[in-house]
Amino acid sequence: MSQPYYEDTSPGYGARPARAAFTTDAATAGLGGIWRFHLSPAADLAPDGFWADDFDDSSWSLLPVPSHWPLHGHGSPVYTNIGYPFPLDPPRVPDENPTGDHRLVFELDDSWTREPAVLRFEGVDSCARIWLNGQELGVTRGSRLPVEFAAGPHLRAGRNVLAVRVHQWSSGSYLEDQDMWWLPGIFRDVTLIRRPPGGVEDAFVHAGYDTSTGRGTLRVDAVTRDGAEARLSVPELGVDDLPAGDTIAVEGVAPWTAETPRLYHGVLATGTERVTLRIGFRTVAVEDGQLRVNGRPLLLRGVNRHEHHPDHGRALPAELDREDVLLMKRHNINAVRTSHYPPHPRFLDLCDELGLWVVLECDLETHGFSAADWRGNPADAPEWAEACLDRIRRTVERDKNHPSVVMWSLGNESGTGRNLDAMAAWVRERDPGRPLHDEGDHECRHSDVYSRMYLPHDEVEAIGRHAEPPLDDPDADARRRSLPFILCEYAHAMGNGPGGLAEYQRLFERYPRLQGGFVWEWIDQGLRQRTPDGREFFAYGGDFGEPFHDGTFAIDGLLFPDRTPSPGLAELKKTVEPIAIRAAEGRGDGRGRRIRITNRYDFSDLSHLCFELALSSDGLPVLAKPLHVPPVAAGESAEIELPVLPPVDGEGWITISALLAEEQPWAPAGHEVAWTQLPLTEEEQASRRGTGPRPVPAPRRRPDGRLVLGSGEFDGRSGRLVRLGTMDVDGPVLDLWRAPTDNDRSASLWGPPDDSAVRWWRQAGLDRMVHRVDEVADGPDGVLVRTRVAAAAQASGMTVEYRWAADESGLVLTVRVEPAGDWPGGLPRLGVRMAVPGRLGQVRWFGRGPGEAYPDSRSAARVGRFSSTVDALQTPYVVPQENGARADVRWAELSGGDGPALRMESVGLPRFSLTARRWTTGDLESARHTTDLAASDRLFLHLDVAQYGLGSASCGPGVLPAHRLQAAPVTWSLRLSACG
Ligand code: IPT
């Protein structure tokens, strides 16, 4: 049997040379809309002759184009990360090769028959064969890359028929092993574009900027048809009819940066065509060991972005590209790596317009060859050379005119090889104006930046100090050591996390060689589904019955699948904020405090911001006033003295915020960019409040055996609080377990396999602790309950004492925990849990908020008064797991329904963090999707004095030592009361 075209390693045939995406005044016709569609389970079962003009497709389905057919009821999606979902037998694909035939009948007027035109596909996954009016145009592979075919000679006035056969699997699939859903289809636009004789074939804008002179240089190279002359005009710069290919200096231009995305509108014209160009002047270079733009080093506060929509997959509705860029800008993100393929071109238009640094990645990943020790890796094997080169050419040619694109990336996780070398050489030749990134090139044979993934903090720090372990070859080592470093992926945002962002950021800020990185990843790749009774949830690998899949591993974004920001995104925003506001040493002359404001922008001064100072007492506002801050230049600091503030009675905090002074294209005036809080009196206040209870009544024992103390009733045998006022409760009892997070469940990428936190915790029996009561005593001081808490088969245990006293405002509980034995994996949490009536659904608290906070992800939570509901306290991680803790709670009140409220107060330090849910930890742990969680008639509260950190072990380092909760003796107190 001869090899079918879809298994040929070539890029395809029939395509026109790649060129830049540009806007032209030549006529275009969008062919998106409703097409006819027919799916065959295998290529050889697809209907013969379906491309014929008169083929009867009336019985076929209707399908919107662009789309992925599995998201429209034809077949189903498949999710794998590294392993190919078919045997590793390149370039062969399975017989079961879903093949989608698409037909569109459309009308044209006769002007289309008079001059040449091209048919352009922006993206077809994974291999398409195309016919126009019965004539074959060619075959294409390269799912996320554009392709054009000459269409003119085949077009007709009146009725035209376009037929496209799309195979899900092809040789190209071997080059497209990105960690994402396999989603075939014509998923980006299809357009007919008139190409007038004497028009523009291609244009390449070269616009540099020299900071020292303030001068720009400009040249546009053009390829035209029929030897036509092309001339450039940029009216705003007084450039008029500059012949293509000529270089000019432009005085006094404003440079393009991601912070100040200044674009100049130009027109490149021949006698027959006008092409619009948006020109941004900037010079990108790696010099003196740093990645610089316009001579200044960048600090990349980046994210990796896959194109994903929970209903449409990578066929993203147009408005979502804008929404993504706006969300990024509003969260202080300044860079994006288009992992792991070129995005829809309009995304880059928005990056140019609104300002983001882009690392533009080629559509290439061969990760699954790692299963064969990279034998036959298409990034190296000669038979794939043309396919690899074709991919980088189509990438660079399409996007070369975007000022936002500051680096080309050859692809992701493709090992090393000759084809990558050839791609690198081609890029260097074609576009010397941009550095090159190749993640797999750890020795930096051709990369201009040293780039790694997920390295732990200490290794990043060593690289920052130029002290990484040497390469064998001293020359290669010297070259690599001289290069800037970026983390092209870090801080894996899977489930609850990532923890440790702030520690990375401190390293980036400290070492000039470290130029930041890109969090993995922007959005959870969950697909919206419904339970039989109509409740929505987000599906992941395995939910579509895929026999081979990678489960939840692509649910690892900073946004939930519906684009709701996760707590991880709030943490990132705070961590990378471009202004640092800190307390400065000493007081000012006016006895006001001094603060130090550091401008961490790379280019902008602070004149686009206004500052505000707010004073609060016990979380209530006392005063707010503008704060004058000079327009500190990028990279500089200034100290200013705060006005003298009135004394406050309660716990006092000063909050200083940096807000947008005026509306920006990406956020309204008043949008908060950065903030900090300075305590006025915190420690004194905390200890003043810690004076402890003044016992009022002594407990008494009732005939039914219950102990009564103040407003509390205790079970006489277990010593548990069972009633508080008129409220049934099931008393605070020690709890050390949490529903494991994705990070808890995973072994660090860099440690021994199986070495997850959960493994240690389960070994110690923390999920199955048994409470034994040693004593329930009542005396003049109150009630004392002594217990020992331990797990079956374990010698280690905890002695736990609960001392209850009553004062005029309620019960005061002091818990003392004394661990005995070894607890080598530490503890997931340390606190008490209690059950209370479900009616208490409203929550108010004074503590950190508004969002959740964990030891290594708590920068975004500020001290204040907040209110919410128990339901809204839940963070709907797609895969249910520990979530929702509100930290450093001074007091919290739960209320609602018919009956008193429950008030919980920290007495002294440590304070507790509060979690409240309508299900137990066990329910949370066993749920696979959010819809598995059913509300009970009770609330389960956790009042913890500590939790284990989050880390990012799901792909990266685990929790840093400082954030691991170790077992140690601890005593804390809290007051409980039923009020109102
Ligand atoms: C890394 C991949 O580059 C990325 O696509 C994604 O799969 C990520 O991991 C995990 O979510 S590769 C990893 C083996 C370091």
Side-chain angles (χ1 to χ4, degrees):
M1 256 202 315
S2 74
Q3 201 145 312
Y5 63 90
Y6 50 84
E7 289 181 335
D8 194 298
T9 55
S10 77
Y13 56 81
R16 302 185 76 243
R19 65 176 177 98
F22 54 62
T23 312
T24 162
D25 67 346
T28 62
L31 298 182
I34 303 295
W35 293 34
R36 287 283 179 181
F37 177 75
H38 176 268
L39 181 65
S40 308
D44 62 339
L45 296 176
D48 225 11
F50 89 102
W51 50 86
D53 235 21
D54 54 356
F55 180 87
D56 179 10
D57 62 15
S58 58
S59 64
W60 285 19
S61 312
L62 299 174
L63 182 78
V65 169
S67 73
H68 301 284
W69 70 70
L71 301 183
H72 291 267
H74 306 277
S76 52
V78 177
Y79 165 61
T80 63
N81 170 14
I82 300 173
Y84 291 96
F86 45 77
L88 188 53
D89 181 24
R92 306 295 310 276
V93 298
D95 290 345
E96 291 74 31
N97 187 1
T99 295
D101 288 331
H102 300 66
R103 279 174 58 95
L104 176 74
V105 177
F106 61 99
E107 302 279 328
L108 292 177
D109 63 41
D110 68 354
S111 66
W112 285 88
T113 61
R114 282 188 234 124
E115 56 180 38
V118 295
L119 176 64
R120 182 174 175 97
F121 292 84
E122 298 291 347
V124 185
D125 191 330
S126 86
C127 172
R129 187 168 181 189
I130 296 129
W131 294 263
L132 183 59
N133 293 328
Q135 302 294 312
E136 182 180 355
L137 299 186
V139 162
T140 177
R141 280 178 278 278
S143 297
R144 271 71 56 176
L145 296 166
V147 64
E148 285 180 347
F149 298 96
H154 310 293
L155 292 175
R156 297 190 295 228
R159 183 177 183 270
N160 290 267
V161 181
L162 175 59
V164 185
R165 169 160 290 172
V166 182
H167 305 283
Q168 169 154 24
W169 308 123
S170 71
S171 60
S173 306
Y174 283 97
L175 306 180
E176 297 176 2
D177 192 27
Q178 291 94 341
D179 178 9
M180 62 190 190
W181 293 96
W182 296 90
L183 288 171
I186 306 174
F187 73 101
R188 287 185 187 158
D189 316 284
V190 184
T191 328
L192 272 176
I193 310 170
R194 212 79 76 73
R195 303 284 66 233
V200 179
E201 283 281 283
D202 194 12
F204 194 168
V205 177
H206 305 271
Y209 183 77
D210 183 340
T211 305
S212 60
T213 60
R215 193 177 298 136
T217 51
L218 179 62
R219 183 183 90 239
V220 174
D221 293 332
V223 180
T224 57
R225 297 170 85 102
D226 317 308
E229 228 182 274
R231 290 173 175 272
L232 175 73
S233 306
V234 189
E236 216 186 328
L237 295 174
V239 176
D240 196 17
D241 274 345
L242 176 74
D246 284 9
T247 306
I248 51 164
V250 200
E251 299 300 330
V253 291
W256 189 96
T257 75
E259 294 166 10
T260 53
R262 179 67 158 95
L263 293 172
Y264 292 90
H265 292 260
V267 173
L268 183 71
T270 66
T272 56
E273 187 176 17
R274 290 163 62 83
V275 163
T276 310
L277 300 173
R278 298 198 306 174
I279 302 166
F281 290 86
R282 91 274 176 286
T283 294
V284 190
V286 171
E287 47 190 27
D288 301 331
Q290 283 189 312
L291 174 64
R292 294 187 181 159
V293 173
N294 304 338
R296 294 191 63 99
L298 302 186
L299 182 51
L300 300 169
R301 302 160 163 99
V303 291
N304 281 280
R305 177 181 184 263
H306 266 293
E307 291 177 314
H308 181 76
H309 183 279
D311 304 314
H312 304 291
R314 289 184 289 277
L316 232 60
E319 64 277 11
L320 288 187
D321 282 308
R322 179 173 289 271
E323 188 176 331
D324 277 357
V325 176
L326 294 180
L327 276 167
M328 289 178 191
K329 294 287 290 183
R330 291 175 187 160
H331 286 90
N332 293 332
I333 288 164
N334 72 357
V336 58
R337 172 174 176 234
T338 68
S339 54
H340 300 301
Y341 43 82
H344 192 288
R346 72 181 162 239
F347 178 76
L348 299 175
D349 291 339
L350 292 161
C351 293
D352 291 346
E353 229 171 272
L354 297 167
L356 286 172
W357 307 113
V358 177
V359 174
L360 199 289
E361 197 146 272
C362 181
D363 191 357
L364 177 68
E365 173 159 344
T366 63
H367 210 165
F369 282 81
S370 55
D373 288 329
W374 296 99
R375 271 190 315 280
N377 180 12
D380 183 58
E383 65 272 26
W384 296 93
E386 190 43 36
C388 290
L389 270 172
D390 170 72
R391 283 173 185 251
I392 193 70
R393 266 191 229 120
R394 284 155 75 190
T395 300
V396 171
E397 296 299 358
R398 189 193 78 169
D399 293 333
K400 58 187 182 260
N401 292 329
H402 290 284
S404 56
V405 174
V406 288
M407 240 193 290
W408 298 116
S409 175
L410 299 185
N412 184 59
E413 292 283 3
S414 299
T416 55
R418 288 166 283 181
N419 299 339
L420 285 163
D421 296 345
M423 289 165 77
W426 182 87
V427 177
R428 245 185 238 304
E429 168 82 30
R430 178 66 176 141
D431 183 15
R434 288 179 178 97
L436 202 104
H437 173 264
D438 177 11
E439 169 279 321
D441 180 22
H442 293 185
E443 303 191 352
C444 299
R445 293 186 311 160
H446 48 243
S447 283
D448 294 314
V449 292
Y450 181 27
S451 169
R452 297 290 302 274
M453 296 178 169
Y454 304 109
L455 287 191
H457 301 78
D458 53 352
E459 284 184 49
V460 172
E461 170 151 38
I463 294 169
R465 289 189 284 105
H466 297 266
E468 66 270 28
L471 293 171
D472 292 342
D473 171 358
D475 290 341
D477 184 68
R479 172 174 142 76
R480 190 178 75 176
R481 213 171 285 278
S482 72
L483 295 180
F485 179 79
I486 64 166
L487 281 163
C488 64
E489 294 176 24
Y490 79 112
H492 197 246
M494 189 177 187
N496 191 346
L501 274 174
E503 286 83 355
Y504 278 116
Q505 199 63 24
R506 259 176 248 143
L507 297 174
F508 300 160
E509 282 162 4
R510 174 155 177 211
Y511 296 101
R513 187 186 186 192
L514 306 180
Q515 294 195 265
F518 299 82
V519 169
W520 186 267
E521 68 177 304
W522 176 235
I523 183 166
D524 280 344
Q525 298 183 49
L527 292 174
R528 199 185 328 253
Q529 295 287 292
R530 288 195 171 73
T531 58
D533 60 347
R535 290 171 303 135
E536 261 180 28
F537 68 94
F538 294 110
Y540 43 77
D543 285 338
F544 298 95
E546 313 100 285
F548 176 77
H549 62 83
D550 283 296
T552 61
F553 203 59
I555 307 295
D556 54 355
L558 294 166
L559 297 180
F560 295 116
D562 61 2
R563 289 191 155 67
T564 307
S566 76
L569 184 57
E571 178 72 7
L572 182 65
K573 176 185 179 184
K574 175 70 180 128
T575 305
V576 303
E577 62 186 12
I579 300 110
I581 309 166
R582 304 272 181 270
E585 292 294 306
R587 288 188 172 247
D589 295 340
R591 282 196 37 77
R593 297 170 161 238
R594 291 185 74 77
I595 57 165
R596 188 176 175 80
I597 298 198
T598 304
N599 176 351
R600 294 213 165 112
Y601 285 108
D602 298 325
F603 300 89
S604 302
D605 67 20
L606 299 185
S607 54
H608 64 294
L609 299 170
C610 58
F611 288 75
E612 217 174 76
L613 173 149
L615 175 65
S616 64
S617 170
D618 281 343
L620 295 173
V622 175
L623 64 82
K625 50 167 81 176
L627 186 69
H628 176 74
V629 173
V632 182
E636 304 292 318
S637 299
E639 283 198 9
I640 61 166
E641 191 178 319
L642 298 183
V644 179
L645 297 170
V648 296
D649 293 338
E651 183 183 323
W653 283 88
I654 302 171
T655 304
I656 297 166
S657 308
L659 314 168
L660 287 181
E662 277 160 28
E663 184 189 2
Q664 299 283 333
W666 48 269
H671 164 84
E672 186 178 60
V673 174
W675 59 276
T676 207
Q677 283 189 310
L678 306 171
L680 267 186
T681 41
E682 190 187 24
E683 290 313 315
E684 299 152 37
Q685 299 272 341
S687 52
R688 178 164 68 78
R689 283 163 184 240
T691 46
R694 274 160 292 125
V696 185
R700 62 190 164 83
R701 218 173 253 274
R702 278 198 329 214
D704 64 0
R706 282 198 174 173
L707 277 169
V708 179
L709 173 69
S711 54
E713 284 178 34
F714 298 80
D715 177 79
R717 276 184 69 240
S718 65
R720 287 207 193 177
L721 182 69
V722 290
R723 241 172 125 70
L724 184 63
T726 57
M727 208 184 293
D728 284 332
V729 301
D730 185 5
V733 53
L734 183 81
D735 197 347
L736 303 172
W737 186 242
R738 73 181 182 195
T741 65
D742 288 302
N743 290 315
D744 292 342
R745 277 193 285 257
S746 310
S748 145
L749 200 56
W750 309 106
D754 303 335
D755 190 28
S756 70
V758 160
R759 191 178 140 241
W760 288 98
W761 297 341
R762 284 196 206 281
Q763 221 163 58
L766 293 168
D767 55 339
R768 51 187 169 84
M769 302 294 269
V770 178
H771 299 240
R772 184 188 71 209
V773 180
D774 289 334
E775 187 183 9
V776 180
D778 53 308
D781 290 346
V783 174
L784 167 68
V785 182
R786 290 198 306 110
T787 66
R788 183 170 186 277
V789 180
Q794 298 296 314
S796 301
M798 309 243 170
T799 306
V800 187
E801 270 183 21
Y802 307 85
R803 265 175 206 283
W804 291 92
D807 66 10
E808 59 281 316
S809 50
L811 296 177
V812 176
L813 167 65
T814 299
V815 187
R816 193 167 73 84
V817 179
E818 192 87 49
D822 293 334
W823 304 88
L827 308 172
R829 67 158 19 109
L830 177 60
V832 291
R833 70 157 192 270
M834 68 191 284
V836 300
R839 67 174 170 80
L840 298 170
Q842 303 290 322
V843 195
R844 297 199 311 134
W845 77 98
F846 173 36
R848 284 190 189 272
E852 65 184 35
Y854 289 84
D856 52 355
S857 176
R858 68 197 309 272
S859 340
R862 60 183 97 195
V863 177
R865 278 201 198 198
F866 303 95
S867 61
S868 182
T869 62
V870 168
D871 298 322
L873 289 183
Q874 315 307 310
T875 306
Y877 291 111
V878 169
V879 182
Q881 52 193 278
E882 165 61 31
N883 73 83
R886 301 308 196 270
D888 289 344
V889 173
R890 282 71 169 159
W891 57 256
E893 253 174 45
L894 297 179
S895 62
D898 226 1
L902 170 67
R903 187 175 165 94
M904 298 157 280
E905 274 173 75
S906 288
V907 178
L909 297 173
R911 298 190 177 104
F912 65 90
S913 87
L914 174 69
T915 308
R917 22 177 105 97
R918 297 190 180 276
W919 37 80
T920 64
T921 298
D923 297 336
L924 188 59
E925 184 174 352
S926 55
R928 294 187 62 245
H929 295 103
T930 46
T931 40
D932 297 339
L933 292 165
S936 74
D937 57 358
R938 295 198 292 173
L939 300 182
F940 300 92
L941 310 181
H942 289 271
L943 288 74
D944 295 312
V945 286
Q947 277 223 28
Y948 204 80
L950 301 172
S952 58
S954 55
C955 188
V959 174
L960 286 168
H963 304 305
R964 296 180 199 154
L965 171 57
Q966 302 298 354
V970 56
T971 303
W972 77 100
S973 298
L974 54 109
R975 179 179 288 114
L976 296 178
S977 48
C979 49

